[in-house]
Structure formats: structure tokens, C-alpha cells
Amino acid sequence: QVQLVESGGGLVQAGGSLRLSCAASGRTFSASTMGWFRQAPGKEREFVASIRAGSTVNIYYANLADVVKGRFIASRDNAKNTIYLQMSSLRPDDTAVYYCAASMLYGSVGRIPNEYQYWGQGTQVTISS
């Protein structure tokens, strides 16, 4: 069993930054592909980023343009059983509930919600214009 707890959400103005954290319980953290998703009101849950099991550098993003601009940067710290999502230059359309998730599927890249067995409760991110 894996329990995930997100934190770091809040209300910021457009152009601001937030750093989300997701702390995981259990000894299987390093063997899990970890992902970030978000869900805006009335929309489906969408993939943001994932970090492959056993790696801190195999990171996948939904939007590489955001990575190039430094807007969304995902990372993991296996010693702390924690993943992070550093978000910068935030826009109103980034407003959503952000979820972290853990996948125990071998070889999981983590782009699809159905790959994940464990989900956090979500943290609200609201960007004002």
C-alpha cells in the first residue's frame, strides 16, 4: 500500500510560481513511476509529468515547450520519498487540482491515468489574472 500526500498548492497571481510536493509512504517509492496530473473544473484529468521508476532523470512531460521555458519542472528525491513539481510563469489556465500518483506497473512511462494504482487527494492551484 502506498499513501500519497500533496502539498504546496495555493492562490497566486499570473506570472507567479509554486512548488508542489508529494510525499509517499511505503518502501516501494523508488520502484514506482511517479506522476503529476491536473484536473480543471469540467475537464478530464490530464497528464503533466512523470518520472520513471528507479530514475531521477527519465522524466516525461505533456508539454515540452513548457519545459524549455522552465515553466514546469518535475523532480524526485528517493531519499525523502518525495516528488516535486516546480511551476513558474503560471497562467490562469493552469488553475486546477493537481494530483500525484504512483504506478507499480513494470515499464510504466506514466502518461495515462489508468497506469496508476495510487493517487493523492489533490492540491488546489488557483492562478488569478
Side-chain angles (χ1 to χ4, degrees), residues 92-111:
D93 61 358
D94 293 318
T95 294
V97 177
Y98 283 71
Y99 298 90
C100 70
S103 171
M104 300 299 294
L105 291 178
Y106 179 79
S108 172
V109 172
R111 290 183 178 273

Side-chain angles (χ1 to χ4, degrees), residues 9-29:
L11 171 65
V12 297
Q13 291 186 331
S17 299
L18 284 172
R19 187 194 196 203
L20 305 184
S21 300
C22 172
S25 65
R27 291 180 286 181
T28 58
F29 176 78

Side-chain angles (χ1 to χ4, degrees), residues 82-100:
T82 301
I83 63 169
Y84 305 94
L85 184 66
Q86 177 68 49
M87 305 187 295
S88 305
S89 302
L90 286 163
R91 307 186 298 239
D93 61 358
D94 293 318
T95 294
V97 177
Y98 283 71
Y99 298 90
C100 70

Side-chain angles (χ1 to χ4, degrees), residues 4 6 22 33 49 57 78 113:
L4 305 171
E6 300 101 334
C22 172
T33 289
V57 296
N78 288 331

